[in-house]
Amino acid sequence: LRFLASRVKSRRIVLPPHPVLVEDFRACIRAGSRALVTAPHLPGDRDAQGRTHARDILRTLLAGARKAVRRDEAPYLDLAARMIESGSLSERIRAELEPFADADDEQFTEAARRIYIELADSLDANVPWHGRGLEAWRGRAQRL
């Protein structure tokens, strides 16, 4: 965020009109990191309609952040990279619940309850949720 904000402040990036940003935001709400966005203010490979995947835009922003990050914040960029690749929290929760999509209400509710208890425990311990596929990072987070 700091990287992007500094570029906007210095006018190296000019934000597109508000409706374009809103449409990209809504696309991300609907499809997560798989969303096709225009993000015309950021570089990236585009399809014929000028769209690119949100995940590719996030990778571009991460590459820029790596150039400008403070040394004490650098380890968090590795965590951000893994989150970009594993998907948003809602995408990971959905992936954990998908096997229960056709289960009866009781099984689905129990699976969802288990996940949200794990999320609460992770938040309380200030460590990434294991369902994000970030187990290796959990130990590092506790040391930071």
Side-chain angles (χ1 to χ4, degrees):
L1 184 57
R2 185 181 306 129
F3 168 75
L4 181 60
S6 71
R7 294 220 178 275
V8 170
K9 250 174 98 173
S10 68
R11 295 196 159 102
R12 289 180 273 177
I13 291 178
V14 177
L15 292 177
H18 187 257
V20 172
L21 295 172
V22 170
E23 184 53 38
D24 283 353
F25 178 65
R26 288 182 175 157
C28 290
I29 290 170
R30 287 188 299 271
S33 59
R34 295 180 314 267
L36 286 171
V37 297
T38 56
H41 55 299
L42 298 169
D45 294 331
R46 311 290 171 154
D47 66 12
Q49 290 80 34
R51 299 173 306 174
T52 187
H53 285 97
R55 181 171 279 142
D56 292 335
I57 293 297
L58 291 171
R59 288 177 184 136
T60 297
L61 291 171
L62 181 64
R66 287 194 187 282
K67 296 174 186 173
V69 70
R70 292 186 341 221
R71 187 184 313 247
D72 64 319
E73 294 174 335
Y76 294 103
L77 293 182
D78 293 337
L79 175 61
R82 296 201 51 203
M83 289 177 162
I84 290 168
E85 297 311 317
S86 68
S88 68
L89 180 58
S90 62
E91 288 172 297
R92 295 304 311 139
I93 292 170
R94 180 178 181 206
E96 289 283 319
L97 287 174
E98 265 182 327
F100 300 94
D102 295 325
D104 64 42
D105 286 350
E106 187 176 321
Q107 288 176 314
F108 183 85
T109 300
E110 181 56 31
R113 189 181 71 73
R114 177 186 48 79
I115 289 168
Y116 281 94
I117 288 171
E118 291 171 359
L119 285 164
D121 290 344
S122 295
L123 184 60
D124 185 50
N126 195 30
V127 295
W129 174 51
H130 80 86
R132 292 207 65 134
L134 304 171
E135 291 81 9
W137 214 89
R138 287 173 70 93
R140 287 182 63 198
Q142 291 172 334
R143 292 190 302 272
L144 292 176

